[in-house]
Amino acid sequence: MDFSKIIEAHKEEFYRDLDQVMQIQSVKGTPVEGAPFGQGPKEALMVVMELAKSYGFETKIVNDAVGYAQWGEGDEYIGVVGHLDVVPAGEGWSFPPFKLSKKGERFYGRGILDNKGPIMACLFGLKLLKDSGITLKKTIRIIFGTDEENGSGDIPLYLSEEKAPSFGFTPDGKYPVVYGERGIVNYEILTDFSADQLAVLGDFIGDQARDHVPDELAVAINGKTIQVFGQRAPSNAPELGVNAITLLAEKINQEKSVSGKLAAYFAWLEASLKDKHAGEGLGIAFSDADSGNLMVTPYELVKKDGRLSLALAVRYPVSITEEEVTEALAKHLPADSQLTIVRRIKSHHFPKEDPNVQRLSNVYEEVTELDGTPVTTTGATYARFVPNIVAFGPSFPGQKGIAHNQDEYMDEKDLLLNMEIYLRGMLALAEK
């Protein structure tokens, strides 16, 4: 059966339905009754459930947090787990962030890559499979989460009522199959200063959050504003951005805007972190054969209770422990500093020799004619929280740093190619 022709024949229908989902501002909001992660994510879930029903699937919403569309009757199922929540749009868009826009052969919009586009491609691909008259031996369940971007608090709510899949994938990483995800630990470095020392500094102003490299930052020093502009990138790809925190430290040092202990602090910040993404400036340059180099991203600098607070996101290789990273980092802090862990996610590893992993790898190779050898990633996906799943797409080799940015995009040919890979992948997993 020529699935690429079937997809081509129905693509406009898919775009119409995807646009409905893209228009919902499904950013995490204040919890309310019936919407534990805010109204936006819940609205997106309700719209998708209605679409799934119109496709002829059985649907269910679990604890107001996760919904699924299912084809098949078996208790054991293959799970495809994606998410409908998105990070805030931010500034600097050339297109409406909450709409499916197209220019040339490229789609734009918040979530087109991460993760509305890919998970809706899975749902629509399953519809095309069903409509083609194919019979599967196993049940397929497309699962829609609503809190992936903020810690995956939705997954325990799902697993408290539903069995985990026997195997599955999340279309929220990269190709080929991702069998390992690095550990993540976020630190806060609090450095003490006297009131007189900090009095020369105003507040740091800029868009700072753990999901991205900050691209603009300003601070008033003795009444004079110093402002810098960098380049935003996802926090798991700091080398693709230009970090405004380290740029600001560099400018303060060049202009000799502060003296004494503050001067020493900003000198440490620049020397330890500017363009040193592998942790070499902090004594944490760990690496291994499977994962490559450790990765560090400073993502927030603020005044806090008479101290300066610097937040770091560290992604460490699968063979390294969080304790090793913490012990080494503690030896390379500025004077009078305390190190606190504010977030931790253990590394994830799935056997790359597993037959189902090999099935997905084979599908990827057949469709793309590219090498399907399983890989590891710096990202964090639902694979860490849902048993028995791996990350699989949607980004192809060489595509990096698109999610969480302004003008988030996905090329039309890649979106449709993803649908074919996912359709064929679900078929390969469910026909055995």
Side-chain angles (χ1 to χ4, degrees):
M1 191 171 292
D2 192 338
F3 288 116
S4 62
K5 284 187 177 180
I6 294 173
I7 291 169
E8 180 69 23
H10 293 273
K11 66 180 184 180
E12 296 301 329
E13 179 187 351
F14 170 59
Y15 299 156
R16 180 200 66 204
D17 292 349
L18 175 59
D19 189 34
Q20 291 186 52
V21 184
M22 293 288 294
Q23 290 187 37
I24 301 168
Q25 298 189 32
S26 51
V27 177
K28 186 172 185 176
T30 303
V32 296
E33 185 176 355
F37 306 107
Q39 295 284 14
K42 183 61 180 294
E43 181 185 351
L45 184 59
M46 297 301 293
V47 168
V48 170
M49 291 295 96
E50 286 303 312
L51 285 171
K53 286 179 184 177
S54 74
Y55 296 164
F57 295 124
E58 173 192 348
T59 64
K60 182 180 178 181
I61 294 178
V62 182
N63 281 325
D64 296 313
V66 176
Y68 68 75
Q70 182 168 295
W71 182 28
E73 303 299 328
D75 190 37
E76 185 176 294
Y77 66 93
I78 300 295
V80 179
V81 193
H83 64 93
L84 299 172
D85 61 305
V86 296
V87 299
E91 302 294 329
W93 282 73
S94 307
F95 304 89
F98 294 104
K99 180 175 174 51
L100 184 65
S101 299
K102 189 179 182 186
K103 182 177 181 181
E105 302 304 315
R106 179 168 287 181
F107 286 114
Y108 296 88
R110 177 58 84 222
I112 184 60
L113 179 68
D114 185 16
N115 185 235
K116 292 177 177 179
I119 192 58
M120 290 301 294
C122 292
L123 178 66
F124 200 84
L126 189 63
K127 172 188 184 297
L128 295 180
L129 266 182
K130 179 175 69 67
D131 292 349
S132 71
I134 288 176
T135 301
L136 301 182
K137 293 181 180 179
K138 296 179 181 177
T139 297
I140 296 282
R141 182 179 291 187
I142 313 290
I143 302 170
F144 300 88
T146 58
D147 189 47
E148 194 276 342
E149 296 290 4
N150 289 277
S152 301
D154 49 349
I155 297 304
L157 294 172
Y158 175 79
L159 294 175
S160 69
E161 290 193 12
E162 299 289 330
K163 286 178 56 177
S166 59
F167 182 75
F169 63 86
T170 176
D172 192 25
K174 65 181 181 181
Y175 290 116
V177 178
V178 176
Y179 73 93
E181 298 184 8
R182 301 188 197 192
I184 299 176
V185 57
N186 289 28
Y187 297 100
E188 182 182 36
I189 300 172
L190 282 170
T191 305
D192 295 327
F193 292 89
S194 70
D196 289 345
Q197 289 168 331
L198 278 188
V200 301
L201 286 180
D203 290 329
F204 295 92
I205 307 298
D207 178 12
Q208 301 185 94
R210 73 185 186 197
D211 68 277
H212 65 270
V213 172
D215 61 349
E216 181 180 350
L217 199 58
V219 66
I221 301 179
N222 289 317
K224 176 188 175 184
T225 297
I226 297 178
Q227 187 171 26
V228 295
F229 298 91
Q231 181 174 323
R232 182 165 167 153
S235 58
N236 69 337
E239 75 282 3
L240 299 182
V242 179
N243 197 303
I245 293 174
T246 56
L247 275 185
L248 185 66
E250 180 183 47
K251 190 168 185 180
I252 289 171
N253 294 331
Q254 289 174 346
E255 297 184 2
K256 296 181 171 53
S257 301
V258 294
S259 59
K261 190 175 179 181
L262 272 178
Y265 178 85
F266 285 108
W268 167 84
L269 204 163
E270 179 187 358
S272 301
L273 288 162
K274 188 172 189 300
D275 299 328
K276 294 180 178 176
H277 310 301
E280 60 268 39
L282 293 169
I284 54 173
F286 297 105
S287 65
D288 64 25
D290 279 349
S291 311
N293 295 330
L294 174 145
M295 190 171 290
V296 59
T297 305
Y299 63 87
E300 185 180 59
L301 177 63
V302 296
K303 288 173 68 174
K304 183 176 181 180
D305 301 326
R307 295 179 284 185
L308 289 183
S309 168
L310 176 69
L312 303 177
V314 175
R315 290 167 165 80
Y316 55 90
V318 294
S319 65
I320 303 300
T321 66
E322 176 192 295
E323 290 74 20
E324 289 176 285
V325 178
T326 302
E327 182 179 351
L329 178 58
K331 297 175 182 177
H332 293 80
L333 304 181
D336 301 318
S337 294
Q338 300 82 46
L339 185 66
T340 303
I341 294 172
V342 295
R343 178 178 180 240
R344 53 162 59 96
I345 306 176
K346 290 186 177 181
S347 60
H348 167 72
H349 184 272
F350 193 90
K352 57 185 173 183
E353 303 82 10
D354 183 272
N356 283 319
V357 169
Q358 294 305 311
R359 290 185 182 103
L360 291 179
S361 295
N362 291 339
V363 166
Y364 174 76
E365 290 186 339
E366 289 168 5
V367 175
T368 67
E369 299 184 349
L370 298 173
D371 182 10
T373 303
V375 295
T376 66
T377 185
T378 60
T381 75
Y382 275 144
R384 298 176 191 251
F385 305 99
V386 180
N388 309 321
I389 72 169
V390 293
F392 186 47
S395 295
F396 293 99
Q399 297 176 343
K400 192 175 182 182
I402 301 168
H404 297 192
N405 270 345
Q406 304 98 329
D407 290 345
E408 181 181 340
Y409 70 87
M410 196 172 190
D411 288 338
E412 181 178 21
K413 64 179 178 58
D414 288 343
L415 182 58
L416 298 180
L417 188 59
N418 265 277
M419 188 183 295
E420 182 175 357
I421 293 170
Y422 291 143
L423 183 158
R424 292 182 180 274
M426 289 185 286
L427 181 60
L429 294 173
E431 67 180 358
K432 300 296 184 181

